[in-house]
Amino acid sequence: MSFLADFRTGARDTAPVVLGIIPFGLVAGAAAVEAGLTGGQALGLSVIVFAGASQLAAIGLLGDGAPLAVVVGTVLVINLRMVMYSASIAPHIARARRRWKALGAYLLTDQAYALSLAKFRNSETAGIGYYLGTAAPLWVCWQLCTVLGVVVGARVPPWLPLDFALPLVFLALLVPAVEDGATGMAALVGGTLTTVAVGLPYELALPVGAVAGVVAGVATDAVLGGEPP
């Protein structure tokens, strides 16, 4: 399959997910303005960081007057999971040119990773084109929604729970990915530990839960496969 055909397939597959992140983007834009950022600063943060959870954490810290080092450190900790994502999909895009890999690294998100990994597991021909097809529409939608959130998001009634849309998106991505005992255990341990560790400083709950989930999944797979973990 050609690059463009792969790209179009990825874009088509990601369409339902794009709809799901619209409320989250609105919340990010509105929160930036409420924290005292200008419209340009909010958009700059969105373009440079391009990561919903860490953006909201950074916005909250900036609004509280936290030192820049704390803001940057928190963003890096939250995004540590991207290292695991990159290592996971790297073999599937190994033949891609370096410039496409660099663009893919910038566009990497939870949603693009989940969709692409599911495709790579079931297709021997899908590659960087499919991945970019899933990632690029998410980037465009996120930037547009950030701008819209800056302009009108603050006027959204407080009783309308826009931020509730994000967990629904992740659940929609998670359920199809649970295919066996190992992935089920990874989801159970990672989700449970992240929830329990929500009170940890510097938003450490997410990376702690992610690492624990990976370890639990690998150990379960080894046990079920009859090999020592």
Side-chain angles (χ1 to χ4, degrees), residues 29 50 56 60 63 77-78 98 119-120 128 153 161 163 177 181-182 194 196 218:
F50 183 47
L56 289 176
V77 167
I78 295 175
R98 184 171 297 179
K119 183 70 172 182
F120 294 153
I128 189 67
D163 52 347
T194 300
V196 171
V218 171

Side-chain angles (χ1 to χ4, degrees), residues 23 58 148 215 217 223 228:
L148 188 60
V215 172
V223 170

Side-chain angles (χ1 to χ4, degrees), residues 15-112:
V17 178
V18 168
L19 294 176
I21 69 168
I22 290 175
F24 191 33
L26 293 174
V27 169
V33 173
E34 291 177 0
L37 276 68
T38 66
Q41 290 171 336
L43 182 58
L45 179 65
S46 183
V47 171
I48 294 172
V49 178
F50 183 47
S54 57
Q55 273 183 233
L56 289 176
I59 289 168
L61 290 171
L62 290 171
D64 292 338
L68 183 59
V70 173
V71 176
V72 173
T74 300
V75 169
L76 290 175
V77 167
I78 295 175
N79 286 337
L80 279 176
R81 68 191 187 283
M82 299 300 172
V83 177
M84 295 186 290
Y85 292 173
S86 300
S88 175
I89 66 174
H92 302 285
I93 60 173
R95 298 179 181 177
R97 294 182 179 180
R98 184 171 297 179
R99 64 173 179 268
W100 294 124
K101 291 181 180 179
L103 178 60
Y106 167 66
L107 294 176
L108 182 60
T109 60
D110 300 284
Q111 296 89 343

